[in-house]
Amino acid sequence: MKPSGEFFKLLGKYVYGYKNPETTHWDYIGKGVGDRAYSHVESKGLDWDNCYLLARNLESYDSTIDGTQFAIEAFLIDFFEPQLNEKSGNKQKETYIMSRFAGLFEQHQNDQREMFEEMYEFIRDNEVVRRNVGFSGSRGKTFEVETGAIDNLYCKIKMDASAAEDTISVTFKGGKRNAEKINRITEMCSEFNVVGTGSGNDPWVSFQVDDFDTALSLWTDFVGA
């Protein structure tokens, strides 16, 4: 799949290369902006899956008189790691990355996920959630959906997409008087991995589950649907 123009724009001035997976030798190395790297898929018959981004945002070196020298020096220090040079800073690590374009674009697509839309669809598509939701909200790479109070207890489903793999958790919470109920819930849900607990005035327990179906099952049991 050809990456979007928005993705290429984020790379600024970049250097790329096509690597032969069988010989591990480089078939072609070039520089460019926009979709220059992808153009060789047609012009030279190269495989996009073998294209690597070697350096990006090199325009950051254009503002200095010795920009070219700085760029080459930074690359050589990052590549050879000489003992007497200072370690590469964050700028070098972000510039010289040696990563497959396909993987970077997939990561870019994941980063563009609209959590509010996913939360809206989750509520819309699940009647038991839609009929019992008391609070919902999204922030960054997470969204949360919580029931209204049932005997001063609440159940919350949280989806977190900030890591390499999505995680889903279900949390039960209540006031101090419901501490014993929270303990009973913990015992009843012993098959799940506990990822957090709280006590005192606001006791709670949170479990990690494998999928939304499991989360919905716990939600359904809680609301008595």
Side-chain angles (χ1 to χ4, degrees):
M1 177 188 297
K2 180 179 179 179
S4 63
E6 178 187 9
F7 169 75
F8 279 120
K9 186 176 181 180
L10 294 173
L11 304 180
K13 294 181 179 180
Y14 62 89
V15 176
Y16 59 94
Y18 282 83
K19 194 174 188 178
N20 189 313
E22 297 180 0
T23 66
T24 70
H25 294 156
W26 293 96
D27 289 330
Y28 185 85
I29 290 179
K31 61 178 175 61
V33 295
D35 63 358
R36 174 64 177 172
Y38 191 86
S39 67
H40 301 306
V41 173
E42 295 183 359
S43 66
K44 299 183 184 298
L46 294 171
D47 188 340
W48 180 242
D49 285 339
N50 299 329
C51 189
Y52 288 75
L53 178 64
L54 306 180
R56 61 185 172 185
N57 302 121
L58 291 171
E59 67 275 6
S60 62
Y61 291 101
D62 291 346
S63 60
T64 63
I65 297 176
D66 299 323
T68 302
Q69 291 172 292
F70 278 129
I72 295 174
E73 177 194 41
F75 169 76
L76 293 174
I77 291 174
D78 186 72
F79 186 81
F80 290 109
E81 298 182 343
Q83 294 183 0
L84 299 181
N85 283 91
E86 294 183 4
K87 293 183 178 180
S88 299
N90 290 331
K91 180 178 180 180
Q92 283 81 1
K93 292 179 180 178
E94 294 175 358
T95 300
Y96 305 106
I97 61 174
M98 187 72 77
S99 295
R100 288 176 61 249
F101 263 102
L104 289 171
F105 182 52
E106 182 179 356
Q107 179 181 336
H108 170 74
Q109 288 180 304
N110 290 337
D111 289 343
Q112 305 311 305
R113 289 172 61 174
E114 178 51 67
M115 301 311 296
F116 177 82
E117 182 66 22
E118 291 191 31
M119 178 189 70
Y120 170 78
E121 292 177 356
F122 176 69
I123 297 173
R124 181 197 63 193
D125 296 341
N126 294 284
E127 183 178 1
V128 68
V129 176
R130 189 169 65 250
R131 295 177 60 181
N132 294 279
V133 63
F135 166 82
S136 63
S138 64
R139 183 176 182 180
K141 296 301 176 185
T142 67
F143 75 71
E144 299 179 352
V145 179
E146 186 175 275
T147 66
I150 299 178
D151 295 331
N152 293 318
L153 288 169
Y154 301 82
C155 175
K156 177 176 69 177
I157 295 175
K158 179 178 180 179
M159 205 285 282
D160 189 336
S162 60
E165 295 185 0
D166 295 352
T167 58
I168 303 170
S169 61
V170 179
T171 301
F172 298 93
K173 63 179 183 178
K176 185 176 182 179
R177 295 181 178 178
N178 288 311
E180 185 57 37
K181 292 182 180 179
I182 297 296
N183 289 336
R184 288 201 298 270
I185 290 174
T186 303
E187 294 175 359
M188 293 171 59
C189 297
S190 59
E191 64 185 285
F192 302 111
N193 181 38
V194 176
V195 292
T197 60
S199 57
N201 292 328
D202 297 296
W204 59 275
V205 61
S206 183
F207 306 96
Q208 183 171 324
V209 297
D210 292 333
D211 48 45
F212 277 124
D213 286 342
T214 305
L216 286 170
S217 177
L218 292 173
W219 173 291
T220 301
D221 289 344
F222 178 79
V223 298

